[in-house]
């Protein structure tokens, strides 16, 4: 698979991505109410919703980034999570040209179809109405200051690989193409399921780690070039 090149890969684009990363995690969140197991289930159900809407897998990264940024900036209560999931999916799907028309009634129905064990905080699935999803959409937009085009694990990966491709004059095309289509695509999805961005690990920093491991695996970097011992290199891979 060829490397996906963004429209631009200059330093100004890189600076903009870093600024948006900081914007996504700024704020004073309430006590964390999205434990890993709950967030994992939320992401997987959002993935099914986007599939039903006809969206490509990359749009899951956008939907989850919006949900995580909302929680990081203002907090999401467990009883609001189902409507929040539908809102994030709906906003992400609006950018998907091949997606079916985004209908609030359909989003509410899809999120209500989650397994009964998914219900949290005593919320009844019947309470997730089109009006509730509409309110959640507005809350999300206000929490993010209407800035919904945030860099994701997917877009960061595309930008980083495109910059590497151009900076090296195409000398590592084969390794970078493998990294994009096989290694990074799999690892970033696992990372999306397991960890939300935070001040200690922004989306851009997470991708840097993924690509560093991928370049080692592809043979484009050596352990010594990163000052790693053999045992440390083995642990990373």
């Amino acid at each position: 698979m060829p490397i996906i090149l963004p429209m631009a890969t200059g330093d100004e684009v890189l600076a903009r991505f870093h600024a948006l990363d900081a914007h996504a995690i700024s704020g004073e969140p309430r006590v964390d109410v999205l434990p890993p197991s709950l967030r994992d289930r939320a992401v997987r159900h959002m993935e099914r919703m986007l599939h039903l809407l006809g969206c490509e897998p990359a749009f899951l990264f956008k939907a989850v980034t919006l949900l995580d940024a909302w929680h990081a900036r203002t907090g999401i209560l467990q009883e609001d999570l189902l409507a929040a999931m539908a809102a994030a999916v709906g906003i992400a799907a609006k950018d998907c040209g091949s997606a079916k028309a985004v209908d609030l009634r359909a989003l509410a129905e899809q999120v209500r179809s989650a397994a009964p064990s998914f219900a949290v905080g005593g919320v009844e699935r019947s309470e997730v109405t089109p009006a509730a999803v509409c309110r959640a959409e507005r809350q999300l937009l206000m929490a993010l200051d209407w800035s919904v085009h945030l860099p994701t694990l997917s877009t960061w990966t595309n930008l980083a690989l495109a910059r590497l491709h151009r900076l090296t004059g195409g000398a590592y095309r084969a390794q970078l193409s493998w990294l994009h289509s096989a290694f990074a695509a799999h690892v970033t999805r696992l990372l999306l399921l397991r960890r939300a961005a935070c001040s200690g690990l922004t989306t851009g920093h997470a991708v840097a780690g993924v690509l560093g491991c991928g370049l080692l695996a592809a043979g484009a970097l050596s352990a010594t070039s990163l000052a790693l011992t053999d045992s440390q290199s083995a642990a990373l891979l």
Side-chain angles (χ1 to χ4, degrees), residues 219-230:
L221 283 179
S222 65
T224 54
S225 69
L226 296 179
L228 297 177
T229 65
D230 289 341

Side-chain angles (χ1 to χ4, degrees), residues 116-140:
S117 60
F118 190 88
V120 292
V123 64
E124 295 292 336
R125 287 179 293 161
S126 60
E127 296 174 6
V128 186
T129 62
V133 176
C134 184
R135 286 194 300 273
E137 279 193 354
R138 185 165 184 82
Q139 290 170 353
L140 187 158

Side-chain angles (χ1 to χ4, degrees), residues 67-136:
L67 187 74
D68 286 340
W70 180 6
H71 179 59
R73 288 176 65 84
T74 63
I76 301 173
L77 297 176
Q78 286 195 12
E79 56 263 34
D80 298 329
L81 180 58
L82 296 178
M85 289 161 51
V89 165
I91 291 174
K94 290 173 184 176
D95 280 343
C96 180
S98 61
K100 301 172 185 176
V102 178
D103 178 77
L104 293 178
R105 184 176 293 102
L107 289 174
E109 179 60 33
Q110 288 173 17
V111 81
R112 285 199 300 268
S113 70
S117 60
F118 190 88
V120 292
V123 64
E124 295 292 336
R125 287 179 293 161
S126 60
E127 296 174 6
V128 186
T129 62
V133 176
C134 184
R135 286 194 300 273

Side-chain angles (χ1 to χ4, degrees), residues 24-86:
I25 60 175
S26 63
E28 297 293 335
R30 293 190 286 264
V31 177
D32 190 4
V33 292
L34 295 181
S37 61
L38 179 59
R39 185 179 172 281
D40 179 280
R41 280 181 286 165
V43 173
R44 292 179 187 277
H45 193 69
M46 291 166 70
E47 185 174 35
R48 289 193 290 271
M49 293 172 69
L50 285 161
H51 177 73
L52 290 173
L53 288 171
C55 292
E56 297 176 358
F59 286 90
L60 174 65
F61 289 93
K62 175 162 188 174
V64 176
T65 297
L66 291 174
L67 187 74
D68 286 340
W70 180 6
H71 179 59
R73 288 176 65 84
T74 63
I76 301 173
L77 297 176
Q78 286 195 12
E79 56 263 34
D80 298 329
L81 180 58
L82 296 178
M85 289 161 51

